[in-house]
Amino acid sequence: MEFDGILVGVAIGLVLVVLVLGLANMLRGGSANRSQQLMRMRVLLQFVAIIVIMGVIWWRAA
């Protein structure tokens, strides 16, 4: 597997991990502050993942 494919997989995997952590926190009735932190982290990681994906598309097209 190429490096750029691994990079995209890691970015998406991190988003998935934070999403699952947030869902687990919500389902067990965890702290609302923790849920907010996880949601903010997920949004930031989604932004980073989109940047990585767009960068890989640009890199492959060049």
Side-chain angles (χ1 to χ4, degrees):
M1 187 176 220
E2 297 178 16
F3 175 73
D4 51 1
I6 293 171
L7 194 59
V8 169
V10 167
I12 293 172
L14 288 173
V15 172
L16 180 63
V17 166
V18 173
L19 176 63
V20 169
L21 287 173
L23 286 172
N25 186 59
M26 182 183 68
L27 290 175
R28 68 181 174 150
S31 167
N33 286 335
R34 179 78 173 147
S35 290
Q36 283 294 321
Q37 287 177 335
L38 289 168
M39 184 169 32
R40 289 183 186 124
M41 188 183 311
R42 181 182 51 84
V43 170
L44 176 65
L45 287 173
Q46 284 176 324
F47 175 73
V48 170
I50 289 170
I51 297 299
V52 167
I53 292 167
M54 295 304 294
V56 167
I57 290 171
W58 176 79
W59 180 260
R60 288 185 177 182

